[in-house]
Amino acid sequence: MAYKYKNSKGNEYILHARTTKLRNGKEQTLYYFSKEQKENALDAVPEGYRVSETATGLPVLQRSGEFKDKK
């Protein structure tokens, strides 16, 4: 079952991942949300990440250490 996120506007997005080879030969995993489910959909948010929204309502992944808890 793919991980789905419903934003503040009521739109539903599905989390995907893609591994890309960089010019220096290293591999990097790219995470993105899409309205349509594709074959590289993930079942859960990767450990160490959380979902947040941009000002326009698009969901993005943030590393756990990159956000500050609102008080």
Side-chain angles (χ1 to χ4, degrees):
M1 185 74 173
Y3 177 81
K4 296 180 182 180
Y5 177 81
K6 188 176 275 191
N7 69 359
S8 59
K9 296 181 179 185
N11 297 326
E12 196 168 84
Y13 294 89
I14 301 167
L15 179 62
H16 295 79
R18 177 176 57 211
T19 302
T20 302
K21 192 170 189 176
L22 303 175
R23 286 190 225 169
N24 63 7
K26 293 182 180 180
E27 290 188 349
Q28 182 177 23
T29 303
L30 304 172
Y31 298 104
Y32 63 97
F33 285 89
S34 174
K35 286 188 176 184
E36 299 174 3
Q37 184 170 345
K38 301 173 186 174
E39 67 180 55
N40 52 356
L42 297 179
D43 293 334
V45 175
E47 188 175 327
Y49 288 86
R50 76 171 208 141
V51 180
S52 66
E53 284 186 33
T54 63
T56 60
L58 293 174
V60 293
L61 278 186
Q62 286 185 328
R63 290 187 186 190
S64 294
E66 292 182 3
F67 63 90
K68 296 180 181 178
D69 292 328
K70 296 179 181 178
K71 294 181 179 181

